[in-house]
Amino acid sequence: MKHAVLLGSLFMATTAMLPFASMAAQATRASFGHAADGQNIDIVTLTNSHGMRARVMTYGASLQSLLVPDRNGKLADVVLGYDTLQGYLDRRQYFGATVGRYANRIAHGTFPLDGKAYHLTLNDGPNSLHGGVKGLDMQVWKVVDVKQGAVASVTMQYSSPDGDQGYPGNVTIKATYALSDDNQLKIAYVATTDKPTIVNLSNHTYWNLGGEGSGTVMDHLLMIPGDAITPVDATSIPNGQVVPVAGTPYDFRMAKPIGRDIRDGRSQQLLFGHGYDMNWVISRKEAEARVVARVEDPRSGRVMTLWSSKPGLQFYSGNFLDGTTVGKDHHIYRQGDAFVLEPQLFPDTPNHPDFGSARLAPGETYRNTIIYRFGVDGAMAK
């Protein structure tokens, strides 16, 4: 079997002010346009010595693009999105976005906390999705730190006020994107609160390892080590069960093409989601960061290994890309042209005590560190 290897050594960086440009990491900052209310949107570009380049914008603390080399060293942008800010403003699709306060869904937009019921804004039929009507993906974040050296990084911050979308507590959230010379992109989310609340943050990047606009990802080979899923109802809310994946289309414990079983009409879950759109149980509690998914594109040879400490992984196969989105370089995005992998708590956890807890109290710190390691297939083959 082919094995992915990560490209190695330490990060190179540069700025125009550094005399040894080849010895340091590059992080540059520029304007990306203005929001509807006139606020300036910054975009920070992180680059390593292999030419890998990440662009992160303050609108939604979003990954706007990521250039990754293939087996021949050719770079391609593997992230769906738009060339200009206006596309993100015109249509909410969570491209590359930080999602929360609660990533995924809360049933009927209601949850109990410390004996009180809270009511969120509804934006997904009867439910609240990814933080509600105006979640973190639609907010303008502030750049608080840009670093260059062995690793290039940018830290952005947003302060969500008490009552924002119905959530309690003044919550301060930081998102740090860091690119290192071993072709690793790390996103670290940190949050604190001044009164009890719930927090569940994740990233909603749409990936195509062949390059955005290159067509379907149904031939990408996906491995998810979870041995169960949390099935949902017709509105994508978990029914409280935990069901083994063995013998079902949801069994990705051994890598297989995303599209191999996606048309299995015996699966009610695939019918509900128009494809894969469900939570895999990686564990029943948080643990040290470990591999939660591995994806390989046979055509380009690009491999992405995803690490996280969170117990759940939402996998979405781009089912609602319907050909009406014109993205970067005038590419039309169609069903199955990308996949999304979101390490997080289980959906609707506040309404399912058996799923764990999303509670964050004053003095505590919420963390979700997501690591994407990129390599190529067959790099060790002789």
Side-chain angles (χ1 to χ4, degrees), residues 282-290 308-312 367 369:
I282 304 300
S283 66
R284 294 307 299 264
K285 60 181 180 180
E286 295 198 30
E288 295 296 320
R290 71 282 202 205
S308 174
S309 63
K310 293 301 175 185
R367 301 182 190 276
T369 299

Side-chain angles (χ1 to χ4, degrees), residues 55-75:
R55 284 163 54 89
V56 186
M57 63 176 175
T58 53
Y59 185 73
S62 303
L63 181 64
Q64 189 270 335
S65 70
L66 184 68
L67 296 182
V68 179
D70 67 7
R71 64 167 66 93
N72 298 313
K74 182 179 179 181
L75 295 167

Side-chain angles (χ1 to χ4, degrees), residues 304-341:
M304 182 178 80
T305 306
L306 176 60
W307 293 64
S308 174
S309 63
K310 293 301 175 185
L313 178 72
Q314 186 81 10
F315 164 46
Y316 168 60
S317 53
N319 315 321
F320 296 100
L321 295 172
D322 60 3
T324 63
T325 297
V326 180
K328 298 172 184 174
D329 201 25
H330 308 291
H331 291 148
I332 293 176
Y333 299 147
R334 303 187 64 85
Q335 187 180 55
D337 279 358
F339 62 90
V340 179
L341 295 168

